Amino acid sequence: MANHEIPARDKVSASDKWNLSTLYKSDGDWEKDLAKIMPLARKAAEFKGRLGAASDTLLSALKAYEELNKTIETVYVYASLQHSADEGDSAAQDRESRASMAYAGAMTETSFFAPELMAIEDSKIQNWIELKEFADYKVFIRKMLHEKPHILSEKEERILSLNSEAASTAQNTFSLFTNVDMTFGSVKADGKEIPLTQTTFSLLLRNQDRKVREEAYKKFYAKFYENKNTLASLYTGSVNNDVFAARARGYKSSLAAALYSNKVDESVYTNLIDTVHKNLPALHRYYALRKKVLGVKELRHWDVYVPLVKDAESKTSYEDAVELCRNALAPLGKEYTDILCGGLLNGWVDRYENKGKRSGAFSSGAYTGYPYILLNYKDDAIRDVFTMIHEGGHSMHSYFSKTNNPFMCYDYTIFEAEVASTTNEELLFRYLIKNAKDSKMRNYLLAMRADDILATLHRQTMFAEFELKAHQLVESGSPLSAEVLRNLYRRLLEQYFGPDMVFEEESDMEGLRIPHFYNAFYVYKYATGISAALALAKRITEGGEKEREDYFKFLKSGGSRYPIESLRIAGVDMTGTAPVQSALDSFEAIVSELEKNLK
């Protein structure tokens, strides 16, 4: 299809849409499963008060609970995919809303399940899960029992549950305030007035016209500066809630509380920060190079996102992009590439933009059906090939997870989620660099990869350090304020960006506009993910059959292991500093080549 056309959803060819029939043949079939959810929830609720009566009673309850959750997942995924394909479709909106309501109702009906299961005597339940009939539920129960030391009494859990809506007030208010109530005006760019929004801001900072970037930056952050006390109060409320929740459950800190479920030691978090600190000179060299290439007297904060090397002309049809993926991923073997490329061409993917379609890209699916991918593919952007292979990595991870694990333990953690996708990106980068047609394309690819590593490793680590320091201040009895938070963030900006960067008075407001900060201690997973991925891509391309099989063991683990263990099986030990150091070495090597090439 022509990329300049944006058709209505009903005008998109069936071959360019995902095939949702692996979930439901029709909306009518979906309605039938939706109608089953509450009866299934009530069936599971019949076991309330009886989970510990006998092993066969618990087994029957687990089967009922599994059937309910599997149905909910399929119903919700089908509805959410339809809504994402056309957010203006009122029928799709209605289906997603009804799926969410059914989910909420079912969770209320079965809220007894976890605390009652954990109340079963340890010796009794440990003996039961060794029985062969519990094989599909053993991991699920063990992971639930891992949480037991921090589960409170039924009355205390009820109080925390009643507070859950109030606890999300800071996050919800921040989202509404920054996305709805705050207005930023407009910026004249490329001959036309462009509304300045959260979405267009990042695009305007990539504009080649420096005056456009400066105007967008100053207008955007002026509005945040104007509301600095409100924004600081909202974030303080979020941090205070994190500290309260951690203390209420008996964790030694909010960081410990965030890492406990995945059995990640705090040293993984602190080692990441320490290792990045030791390698900041290479990042400072990158910014010095950026200053030189842009030809500016002073490097400003609005200069760091414009591409270092202008786009190299490239046109890649969707079908050719699939073949690029096939060639780049050849080190993973024919089975992997045949499954992925077959899926990319036959029903897994919603390929192109249409009116009302959600922007960006994602991978999403249920235990049944395809591991679906949403794209907004354009054939004139090599970046979109990287997006395709990235989402393909997620989907293949999901494919191997669900084909090798029972439903109750197939879903992998967020800690692992970015590894398979970023490994694919690195394999594509290595393939394209090896086959670059000229120096311009090589430099373009190198600059793009440097920016990707910087954004995912250095920048997310800076964010992670800010979160940690903010929480530690509250935990040590020091109150937060706009001034405290801004000073903390400014020191990090100066440390990470180095001596060639000149900041504005309002630059430190960036620390009060990051939505991820309202989901504490989440962003570090991007940094550990890319570190593991770069190490694995190197191991796969330089190794042999054993290294590839180790990687497949990781893909097939699903949720059957804790993330540190599953990555160790793949050949990467995230408890040490080697993977992060190796990723930073890769970044320095790219900077060194760019310094030589962009004299």
Side-chain angles (χ1 to χ4, degrees), residues 186-212:
S186 63
V187 174
K188 190 167 185 178
D190 305 319
K192 54 187 176 183
E193 286 290 326
I194 297 176
L196 182 56
T197 66
Q198 297 276 8
T199 302
T200 62
F201 176 63
S202 59
L203 297 174
L204 288 165
L205 286 189
R206 292 176 61 83
N207 194 288
Q208 291 292 332
D209 188 335
R210 196 177 191 219
K211 290 182 179 178
V212 169

Side-chain angles (χ1 to χ4, degrees), residues 28 52 78 97 182 199 247 250 292 295 325 329 349 355 370 451 487 548:
Y78 180 84
S97 295
M182 290 175 67
T199 302
R247 287 175 173 169
K292 177 184 171 184
C325 293
L329 299 175
V349 186
K355 290 176 183 175
Y370 292 153
D451 285 342
N487 286 338
R548 184 167 67 189

